[in-house]
mmCIF file of all heavy atoms in Angstrom:
data_model
loop_
_atom_site.group_PDB
_atom_site.id
_atom_site.type_symbol
_atom_site.label_atom_id
_atom_site.label_comp_id
_atom_site.label_asym_id
_atom_site.label_seq_id
_atom_site.Cartn_x
_atom_site.Cartn_y
_atom_site.Cartn_z
ATOM 1 N N ARG B 23 163.666 27.222 85.620
ATOM 2 C CA ARG B 23 163.643 28.420 84.797
ATOM 3 C C ARG B 23 162.880 29.527 85.515
ATOM 4 O O ARG B 23 162.020 29.256 86.364
ATOM 5 C CB ARG B 23 163.001 28.118 83.432
ATOM 6 C CG ARG B 23 163.933 27.322 82.531
ATOM 7 C CD ARG B 23 163.297 26.951 81.221
ATOM 8 N NE ARG B 23 162.340 25.859 81.398
ATOM 9 C CZ ARG B 23 161.970 25.049 80.412
ATOM 10 N NH1 ARG B 23 162.474 25.204 79.216
ATOM 11 N NH2 ARG B 23 161.100 24.100 80.627
ATOM 12 N N GLY B 24 163.214 30.734 85.178
ATOM 13 C CA GLY B 24 162.547 31.858 85.822
ATOM 14 C C GLY B 24 162.789 33.130 85.033
ATOM 15 O O GLY B 24 163.354 33.106 83.934
ATOM 16 N N HIS B 25 162.347 34.237 85.605
ATOM 17 C CA HIS B 25 162.551 35.520 84.951
ATOM 18 C C HIS B 25 162.484 36.615 85.996
ATOM 19 O O HIS B 25 161.981 36.407 87.107
ATOM 20 C CB HIS B 25 161.473 35.761 83.885
ATOM 21 C CG HIS B 25 160.084 35.932 84.445
ATOM 22 N ND1 HIS B 25 159.298 34.867 84.829
ATOM 23 C CD2 HIS B 25 159.363 37.056 84.705
ATOM 24 C CE1 HIS B 25 158.146 35.321 85.287
ATOM 25 N NE2 HIS B 25 158.153 36.630 85.237
ATOM 26 N N PHE B 26 163.033 37.764 85.642
ATOM 27 C CA PHE B 26 162.979 38.938 86.512
ATOM 28 C C PHE B 26 161.838 39.844 86.057
ATOM 29 O O PHE B 26 161.588 39.992 84.864
ATOM 30 C CB PHE B 26 164.275 39.745 86.402
ATOM 31 C CG PHE B 26 165.359 39.306 87.351
ATOM 32 C CD1 PHE B 26 166.484 38.650 86.886
ATOM 33 C CD2 PHE B 26 165.268 39.586 88.703
ATOM 34 C CE1 PHE B 26 167.487 38.257 87.762
ATOM 35 C CE2 PHE B 26 166.267 39.198 89.586
ATOM 36 C CZ PHE B 26 167.381 38.531 89.102
ATOM 37 N N THR B 27 161.160 40.451 87.015
ATOM 38 C CA THR B 27 160.324 41.618 86.714
ATOM 39 C C THR B 27 160.985 42.814 87.356
ATOM 40 O O THR B 27 161.663 42.687 88.382
ATOM 41 C CB THR B 27 158.896 41.479 87.259
ATOM 42 O OG1 THR B 27 158.969 41.235 88.681
ATOM 43 C CG2 THR B 27 158.161 40.344 86.585
ATOM 44 N N ARG B 28 160.815 43.965 86.717
ATOM 45 C CA ARG B 28 161.413 45.204 87.250
ATOM 46 C C ARG B 28 160.341 46.273 87.174
ATOM 47 O O ARG B 28 160.036 46.769 86.084
ATOM 48 C CB ARG B 28 162.641 45.596 86.434
ATOM 49 C CG ARG B 28 163.771 44.584 86.534
ATOM 50 C CD ARG B 28 164.961 44.933 85.667
ATOM 51 N NE ARG B 28 165.969 43.890 85.758
ATOM 52 C CZ ARG B 28 165.986 42.785 85.028
ATOM 53 N NH1 ARG B 28 165.061 42.580 84.124
ATOM 54 N NH2 ARG B 28 166.941 41.884 85.193
ATOM 55 N N GLN B 29 159.774 46.611 88.309
ATOM 56 C CA GLN B 29 158.660 47.561 88.311
ATOM 57 C C GLN B 29 158.450 48.079 89.713
ATOM 58 O O GLN B 29 159.017 47.550 90.675
ATOM 59 C CB GLN B 29 157.384 46.861 87.827
ATOM 60 C CG GLN B 29 156.970 45.680 88.713
ATOM 61 C CD GLN B 29 155.930 44.799 88.058
ATOM 62 O OE1 GLN B 29 155.659 44.875 86.864
ATOM 63 N NE2 GLN B 29 155.316 43.947 88.858
ATOM 64 N N GLU B 31 156.153 48.204 92.794
ATOM 65 C CA GLU B 31 155.095 47.369 93.344
ATOM 66 C C GLU B 31 155.240 47.353 94.862
ATOM 67 O O GLU B 31 156.163 47.959 95.408
ATOM 68 C CB GLU B 31 155.171 45.950 92.771
ATOM 69 C CG GLU B 31 156.504 45.264 92.992
ATOM 70 C CD GLU B 31 156.564 43.892 92.324
ATOM 71 O OE1 GLU B 31 155.497 43.327 92.040
ATOM 72 O OE2 GLU B 31 157.670 43.389 92.124
ATOM 73 N N HIS B 51 160.176 50.812 93.474
ATOM 74 C CA HIS B 51 160.720 50.122 92.315
ATOM 75 C C HIS B 51 161.665 49.027 92.793
ATOM 76 O O HIS B 51 162.507 49.250 93.661
ATOM 77 C CB HIS B 51 161.479 51.106 91.423
ATOM 78 C CG HIS B 51 161.992 50.463 90.170
ATOM 79 N ND1 HIS B 51 161.205 50.294 89.061
ATOM 80 C CD2 HIS B 51 163.202 49.937 89.853
ATOM 81 C CE1 HIS B 51 161.916 49.691 88.108
ATOM 82 N NE2 HIS B 51 163.126 49.470 88.558
ATOM 83 N N GLN B 52 161.542 47.861 92.190
ATOM 84 C CA GLN B 52 162.364 46.740 92.618
ATOM 85 C C GLN B 52 162.427 45.715 91.500
ATOM 86 O O GLN B 52 161.587 45.674 90.626
ATOM 87 C CB GLN B 52 161.746 46.085 93.857
ATOM 88 C CG GLN B 52 160.333 45.559 93.611
ATOM 89 C CD GLN B 52 159.563 45.329 94.879
ATOM 90 O OE1 GLN B 52 159.688 44.283 95.493
ATOM 91 N NE2 GLN B 52 158.736 46.309 95.278
ATOM 92 N N ALA B 53 163.457 44.892 91.562
ATOM 93 C CA ALA B 53 163.520 43.720 90.702
ATOM 94 C C ALA B 53 163.074 42.524 91.530
ATOM 95 O O ALA B 53 163.291 42.481 92.736
ATOM 96 C CB ALA B 53 164.934 43.503 90.179
ATOM 97 N N THR B 54 162.423 41.577 90.878
ATOM 98 C CA THR B 54 161.988 40.366 91.587
ATOM 99 C C THR B 54 162.223 39.168 90.679
ATOM 100 O O THR B 54 161.834 39.181 89.504
ATOM 101 C CB THR B 54 160.489 40.443 91.940
ATOM 102 O OG1 THR B 54 160.251 41.619 92.721
ATOM 103 C CG2 THR B 54 160.074 39.222 92.754
ATOM 104 N N TRP B 55 162.849 38.161 91.232
ATOM 105 C CA TRP B 55 163.047 36.913 90.496
ATOM 106 C C TRP B 55 161.821 36.033 90.718
ATOM 107 O O TRP B 55 161.408 35.794 91.849
ATOM 108 C CB TRP B 55 164.306 36.207 90.980
ATOM 109 C CG TRP B 55 164.490 34.839 90.412
ATOM 110 C CD1 TRP B 55 164.274 33.645 91.023
ATOM 111 C CD2 TRP B 55 164.916 34.522 89.082
ATOM 112 N NE1 TRP B 55 164.548 32.620 90.180
ATOM 113 C CE2 TRP B 55 164.941 33.121 88.967
ATOM 114 C CE3 TRP B 55 165.283 35.285 87.960
ATOM 115 C CZ2 TRP B 55 165.320 32.469 87.800
ATOM 116 C CZ3 TRP B 55 165.676 34.626 86.810
ATOM 117 C CH2 TRP B 55 165.682 33.234 86.735
ATOM 118 N N HIS B 56 161.255 35.558 89.607
ATOM 119 C CA HIS B 56 160.086 34.687 89.674
ATOM 120 C C HIS B 56 160.450 33.331 89.085
ATOM 121 O O HIS B 56 161.004 33.260 87.989
ATOM 122 C CB HIS B 56 158.926 35.275 88.866
ATOM 123 C CG HIS B 56 158.479 36.616 89.331
ATOM 124 N ND1 HIS B 56 157.553 36.783 90.334
ATOM 125 C CD2 HIS B 56 158.848 37.863 88.922
ATOM 126 C CE1 HIS B 56 157.361 38.083 90.528
ATOM 127 N NE2 HIS B 56 158.124 38.752 89.694
ATOM 128 N N ALA B 57 160.099 32.281 89.785
ATOM 129 C CA ALA B 57 160.314 30.938 89.246
ATOM 130 C C ALA B 57 159.173 30.603 88.303
ATOM 131 O O ALA B 57 158.008 30.868 88.614
ATOM 132 C CB ALA B 57 160.373 29.936 90.388
ATOM 133 N N ASP B 58 159.511 30.012 87.163
ATOM 134 C CA ASP B 58 158.484 29.654 86.187
ATOM 135 C C ASP B 58 158.091 28.192 86.276
ATOM 136 O O ASP B 58 157.200 27.736 85.549
ATOM 137 C CB ASP B 58 158.997 29.941 84.767
ATOM 138 C CG ASP B 58 159.177 31.428 84.526
ATOM 139 O OD1 ASP B 58 158.517 32.220 85.228
ATOM 140 O OD2 ASP B 58 159.975 31.800 83.648
ATOM 141 N N LYS B 138 168.286 29.104 78.790
ATOM 142 C CA LYS B 138 167.375 30.171 79.196
ATOM 143 C C LYS B 138 167.788 30.699 80.561
ATOM 144 O O LYS B 138 168.785 30.264 81.133
ATOM 145 C CB LYS B 138 165.952 29.630 79.248
ATOM 146 C CG LYS B 138 165.391 29.275 77.878
ATOM 147 C CD LYS B 138 163.923 28.966 77.964
ATOM 148 C CE LYS B 138 163.367 28.433 76.665
ATOM 149 N NZ LYS B 138 163.367 29.427 75.611
ATOM 150 N N ALA B 139 167.022 31.663 81.072
ATOM 151 C CA ALA B 139 167.278 32.180 82.418
ATOM 152 C C ALA B 139 166.969 31.077 83.411
ATOM 153 O O ALA B 139 165.809 30.727 83.626
ATOM 154 C CB ALA B 139 166.401 33.395 82.677
ATOM 155 N N VAL B 140 168.008 30.519 83.976
ATOM 156 C CA VAL B 140 167.849 29.346 84.827
ATOM 157 C C VAL B 140 168.510 29.604 86.168
ATOM 158 O O VAL B 140 169.665 30.032 86.230
ATOM 159 C CB VAL B 140 168.500 28.114 84.153
ATOM 160 C CG1 VAL B 140 168.573 26.958 85.118
ATOM 161 C CG2 VAL B 140 167.721 27.722 82.927
ATOM 162 N N GLN B 141 167.794 29.319 87.230
ATOM 163 C CA GLN B 141 168.351 29.425 88.571
ATOM 164 C C GLN B 141 168.882 28.058 88.975
ATOM 165 O O GLN B 141 168.206 27.045 88.825
ATOM 166 C CB GLN B 141 167.291 29.881 89.575
ATOM 167 C CG GLN B 141 167.798 29.978 91.009
ATOM 168 C CD GLN B 141 166.713 30.338 92.002
ATOM 169 O OE1 GLN B 141 165.545 30.458 91.640
ATOM 170 N NE2 GLN B 141 167.094 30.523 93.252
ATOM 171 N N GLY B 158 172.323 30.649 92.092
ATOM 172 C CA GLY B 158 172.746 31.660 91.133
ATOM 173 C C GLY B 158 172.211 31.367 89.747
ATOM 174 O O GLY B 158 171.314 30.541 89.566
ATOM 175 N N LEU B 159 172.798 32.050 88.773
ATOM 176 C CA LEU B 159 172.357 31.940 87.378
ATOM 177 C C LEU B 159 173.498 31.386 86.528
ATOM 178 O O LEU B 159 174.677 31.604 86.833
ATOM 179 C CB LEU B 159 171.945 33.316 86.856
ATOM 180 C CG LEU B 159 170.799 33.996 87.603
ATOM 181 C CD1 LEU B 159 170.654 35.439 87.147
ATOM 182 C CD2 LEU B 159 169.507 33.242 87.377
ATOM 183 N N ILE B 160 173.149 30.695 85.447
ATOM 184 C CA ILE B 160 174.158 30.107 84.572
ATOM 185 C C ILE B 160 174.800 31.194 83.721
ATOM 186 O O ILE B 160 174.106 32.000 83.104
ATOM 187 C CB ILE B 160 173.530 29.036 83.666
ATOM 188 C CG1 ILE B 160 172.995 27.887 84.526
ATOM 189 C CG2 ILE B 160 174.552 28.506 82.665
ATOM 190 C CD1 ILE B 160 172.267 26.826 83.726
ATOM 191 N N ARG B 177 177.243 31.944 88.454
ATOM 192 C CA ARG B 177 177.562 32.951 89.457
ATOM 193 C C ARG B 177 176.326 33.232 90.289
ATOM 194 O O ARG B 177 175.201 33.076 89.818
ATOM 195 C CB ARG B 177 177.978 34.265 88.786
ATOM 196 C CG ARG B 177 179.440 34.364 88.425
ATOM 197 C CD ARG B 177 179.768 35.757 87.940
ATOM 198 N NE ARG B 177 179.055 36.074 86.715
ATOM 199 C CZ ARG B 177 178.853 37.320 86.276
ATOM 200 N NH1 ARG B 177 179.302 38.343 86.971
ATOM 201 N NH2 ARG B 177 178.213 37.519 85.154
ATOM 202 N N GLY B 178 176.569 33.684 91.515
ATOM 203 C CA GLY B 178 175.459 34.045 92.377
ATOM 204 C C GLY B 178 174.651 35.194 91.796
ATOM 205 O O GLY B 178 175.072 35.856 90.834
ATOM 206 N N PHE B 179 173.497 35.438 92.381
ATOM 207 C CA PHE B 179 172.624 36.506 91.881
ATOM 208 C C PHE B 179 173.263 37.885 92.026
ATOM 209 O O PHE B 179 172.774 38.856 91.456
ATOM 210 C CB PHE B 179 171.278 36.479 92.623
ATOM 211 C CG PHE B 179 170.306 35.503 92.041
ATOM 212 C CD1 PHE B 179 170.241 34.215 92.511
ATOM 213 C CD2 PHE B 179 169.469 35.874 91.008
ATOM 214 C CE1 PHE B 179 169.353 33.307 91.968
ATOM 215 C CE2 PHE B 179 168.566 34.970 90.450
ATOM 216 C CZ PHE B 179 168.513 33.683 90.930
ATOM 217 N N GLY B 180 174.338 37.958 92.764
ATOM 218 C CA GLY B 180 175.063 39.224 92.842
ATOM 219 C C GLY B 180 175.568 39.671 91.487
ATOM 220 O O GLY B 180 175.961 40.827 91.307
ATOM 221 N N GLN B 181 175.531 38.789 90.488
ATOM 222 C CA GLN B 181 175.972 39.198 89.162
ATOM 223 C C GLN B 181 175.073 40.295 88.606
ATOM 224 O O GLN B 181 175.484 41.041 87.716
ATOM 225 C CB GLN B 181 175.992 38.004 88.200
ATOM 226 C CG GLN B 181 174.646 37.363 87.960
ATOM 227 C CD GLN B 181 174.762 36.214 86.976
ATOM 228 O OE1 GLN B 181 174.716 36.423 85.763
ATOM 229 N NE2 GLN B 181 174.905 35.007 87.474
ATOM 230 N N VAL B 182 173.861 40.396 89.111
ATOM 231 C CA VAL B 182 173.004 41.508 88.679
ATOM 232 C C VAL B 182 173.645 42.828 89.102
ATOM 233 O O VAL B 182 173.588 43.833 88.393
ATOM 234 C CB VAL B 182 171.593 41.379 89.291
ATOM 235 C CG1 VAL B 182 170.742 42.573 88.902
ATOM 236 C CG2 VAL B 182 170.936 40.085 88.835
ATOM 237 N N LEU B 183 174.295 42.839 90.251
ATOM 238 C CA LEU B 183 174.951 44.060 90.720
ATOM 239 C C LEU B 183 176.148 44.410 89.842
ATOM 240 O O LEU B 183 176.385 45.588 89.553
ATOM 241 C CB LEU B 183 175.420 43.883 92.165
ATOM 242 C CG LEU B 183 174.324 43.776 93.226
ATOM 243 C CD1 LEU B 183 174.912 43.253 94.530
ATOM 244 C CD2 LEU B 183 173.669 45.124 93.454
ATOM 245 N N ASP B 185 176.835 43.307 86.696
ATOM 246 C CA ASP B 185 176.628 43.319 85.253
ATOM 247 C C ASP B 185 175.558 44.301 84.790
ATOM 248 O O ASP B 185 175.501 44.625 83.603
ATOM 249 C CB ASP B 185 176.221 41.915 84.762
ATOM 250 C CG ASP B 185 177.329 40.901 84.950
ATOM 251 O OD1 ASP B 185 178.395 41.272 85.472
ATOM 252 O OD2 ASP B 185 177.139 39.731 84.580
ATOM 253 N N ALA B 186 174.687 44.717 85.673
ATOM 254 C CA ALA B 186 173.578 45.586 85.263
ATOM 255 C C ALA B 186 173.942 47.040 85.508
ATOM 256 O O ALA B 186 174.417 47.409 86.585
ATOM 257 C CB ALA B 186 172.314 45.229 86.031
ATOM 258 N N SER B 191 165.265 50.077 83.162
ATOM 259 C CA SER B 191 164.395 49.486 84.165
ATOM 260 C C SER B 191 165.170 48.925 85.344
ATOM 261 O O SER B 191 164.578 48.369 86.263
ATOM 262 C CB SER B 191 163.551 48.373 83.538
ATOM 263 O OG SER B 191 164.398 47.374 83.012
ATOM 264 N N ASN B 192 166.478 49.084 85.333
ATOM 265 C CA ASN B 192 167.245 48.676 86.511
ATOM 266 C C ASN B 192 167.086 49.669 87.646
ATOM 267 O O ASN B 192 167.519 49.415 88.762
ATOM 268 C CB ASN B 192 168.726 48.518 86.177
ATOM 269 C CG ASN B 192 168.978 47.283 85.344
ATOM 270 O OD1 ASN B 192 168.271 46.294 85.480
ATOM 271 N ND2 ASN B 192 169.963 47.354 84.474
ATOM 272 N N MET B 401 170.358 49.915 96.202
ATOM 273 C CA MET B 401 170.961 49.125 95.120
ATOM 274 C C MET B 401 170.541 47.666 95.210
ATOM 275 O O MET B 401 170.238 47.014 94.209
ATOM 276 C CB MET B 401 172.484 49.222 95.177
ATOM 277 C CG MET B 401 173.039 50.578 94.827
ATOM 278 S SD MET B 401 172.659 51.040 93.127
ATOM 279 C CE MET B 401 171.588 52.413 93.434
ATOM 280 N N LEU B 402 170.514 47.143 96.424
ATOM 281 C CA LEU B 402 170.143 45.737 96.585
ATOM 282 C C LEU B 402 168.690 45.506 96.184
ATOM 283 O O LEU B 402 168.339 44.496 95.575
ATOM 284 C CB LEU B 402 170.366 45.306 98.044
ATOM 285 C CG LEU B 402 171.829 45.302 98.493
ATOM 286 C CD1 LEU B 402 171.928 44.933 99.964
ATOM 287 C CD2 LEU B 402 172.672 44.366 97.647
ATOM 288 N N ARG B 403 167.832 46.468 96.495
ATOM 289 C CA ARG B 403 166.428 46.316 96.107
ATOM 290 C C ARG B 403 166.299 46.357 94.592
ATOM 291 O O ARG B 403 165.534 45.595 94.004
ATOM 292 C CB ARG B 403 165.584 47.410 96.766
ATOM 293 C CG ARG B 403 164.102 47.286 96.471
ATOM 294 C CD ARG B 403 163.253 48.055 97.453
ATOM 295 N NE ARG B 403 163.403 49.483 97.328
ATOM 296 C CZ ARG B 403 162.843 50.361 98.156
ATOM 297 N NH1 ARG B 403 162.113 49.952 99.158
ATOM 298 N NH2 ARG B 403 163.025 51.658 97.982
ATOM 299 N N TRP B 404 167.029 47.255 93.952
ATOM 300 C CA TRP B 404 166.973 47.335 92.496
ATOM 301 C C TRP B 404 167.538 46.069 91.847
ATOM 302 O O TRP B 404 167.203 45.747 90.717
ATOM 303 C CB TRP B 404 167.754 48.556 91.996
ATOM 304 C CG TRP B 404 167.054 49.853 92.270
ATOM 305 C CD1 TRP B 404 165.807 50.026 92.813
ATOM 306 C CD2 TRP B 404 167.575 51.157 92.029
ATOM 307 N NE1 TRP B 404 165.518 51.364 92.912
ATOM 308 C CE2 TRP B 404 166.577 52.088 92.432
ATOM 309 C CE3 TRP B 404 168.759 51.656 91.493
ATOM 310 C CZ2 TRP B 404 166.751 53.462 92.323
ATOM 311 C CZ3 TRP B 404 168.930 53.034 91.388
ATOM 312 C CH2 TRP B 404 167.930 53.921 91.795
ATOM 313 N N ALA B 405 168.424 45.376 92.554
ATOM 314 C CA ALA B 405 169.038 44.170 91.986
ATOM 315 C C ALA B 405 168.192 42.921 92.224
ATOM 316 O O ALA B 405 168.497 41.871 91.678
ATOM 317 C CB ALA B 405 170.431 43.952 92.576
ATOM 318 N N GLY B 406 167.157 43.037 93.077
ATOM 319 C CA GLY B 406 166.276 41.889 93.256
ATOM 320 C C GLY B 406 166.366 41.219 94.607
ATOM 321 O O GLY B 406 165.690 40.216 94.844
ATOM 322 N N PHE B 407 167.184 41.749 95.509
ATOM 323 C CA PHE B 407 167.293 41.143 96.829
ATOM 324 C C PHE B 407 166.183 41.675 97.726
ATOM 325 O O PHE B 407 165.836 42.846 97.679
ATOM 326 C CB PHE B 407 168.665 41.442 97.437
ATOM 327 C CG PHE B 407 169.783 40.781 96.696
ATOM 328 C CD1 PHE B 407 170.502 41.479 95.747
ATOM 329 C CD2 PHE B 407 170.106 39.457 96.929
ATOM 330 C CE1 PHE B 407 171.518 40.879 95.033
ATOM 331 C CE2 PHE B 407 171.128 38.841 96.227
ATOM 332 C CZ PHE B 407 171.828 39.552 95.277
ATOM 333 N N LYS B 408 165.633 40.790 98.559
ATOM 334 C CA LYS B 408 164.568 41.185 99.475
ATOM 335 C C LYS B 408 165.038 41.169 100.920
ATOM 336 O O LYS B 408 164.403 41.746 101.797
ATOM 337 C CB LYS B 408 163.365 40.224 99.360
ATOM 338 C CG LYS B 408 162.910 39.983 97.937
ATOM 339 C CD LYS B 408 162.414 41.246 97.273
ATOM 340 C CE LYS B 408 161.957 40.938 95.853
ATOM 341 N NZ LYS B 408 161.715 42.151 95.089
ATOM 342 N N LEU B 431 175.365 48.647 89.162
ATOM 343 C CA LEU B 431 174.676 48.693 90.457
ATOM 344 C C LEU B 431 175.646 48.472 91.612
ATOM 345 O O LEU B 431 175.411 48.918 92.726
ATOM 346 C CB LEU B 431 173.570 47.634 90.518
ATOM 347 C CG LEU B 431 172.378 47.837 89.582
ATOM 348 C CD1 LEU B 431 171.377 46.696 89.732
ATOM 349 C CD2 LEU B 431 171.684 49.148 89.851
ATOM 350 N N GLU B 460 162.501 31.119 98.677
ATOM 351 C CA GLU B 460 162.531 31.947 97.482
ATOM 352 C C GLU B 460 163.686 32.937 97.521
ATOM 353 O O GLU B 460 163.780 33.802 96.686
ATOM 354 C CB GLU B 460 161.203 32.715 97.349
ATOM 355 C CG GLU B 460 159.991 31.806 97.164
ATOM 356 C CD GLU B 460 160.166 30.857 96.000
ATOM 357 O OE1 GLU B 460 160.756 31.265 94.972
ATOM 358 O OE2 GLU B 460 159.751 29.702 96.115
ATOM 359 N N SER B 461 164.561 32.806 98.481
ATOM 360 C CA SER B 461 165.654 33.758 98.610
ATOM 361 C C SER B 461 166.669 33.549 97.498
ATOM 362 O O SER B 461 166.906 32.426 97.053
ATOM 363 C CB SER B 461 166.326 33.585 99.969
ATOM 364 O OG SER B 461 167.488 34.366 100.046
ATOM 365 N N ILE B 462 167.252 34.644 97.025
ATOM 366 C CA ILE B 462 168.315 34.541 96.028
ATOM 367 C C ILE B 462 169.660 34.887 96.653
ATOM 368 O O ILE B 462 170.621 35.165 95.965
ATOM 369 C CB ILE B 462 168.026 35.424 94.800
ATOM 370 C CG1 ILE B 462 167.926 36.897 95.220
ATOM 371 C CG2 ILE B 462 166.777 34.963 94.089
ATOM 372 C CD1 ILE B 462 167.815 37.840 94.022
ATOM 373 N N GLY B 463 169.729 34.863 97.964
ATOM 374 C CA GLY B 463 170.977 35.164 98.656
ATOM 375 C C GLY B 463 170.766 36.274 99.654
ATOM 376 O O GLY B 463 169.780 37.014 99.582
#
Side-chain angles (χ1 to χ4, degrees):
Chain B
R23 286 177 285 203
H25 67 280
F26 272 109
T27 56
R28 295 177 183 85
Q29 61 194 14
E31 57 184 340
H51 183 83
Q52 60 199 276
T54 303
W55 172 256
H56 300 274
D58 293 336
K138 292 189 188 293
V140 170
Q141 178 184 4
L159 300 170
I160 296 176
R177 274 187 296 160
F179 276 92
Q181 62 179 274
V182 177
L183 292 166
D185 295 1
S191 60
N192 287 329
M401 291 297 114
L402 294 177
R403 183 161 68 186
W404 287 355
F407 293 97
K408 311 297 181 191
L431 293 179
E460 297 306 323
S461 172
I462 61 173

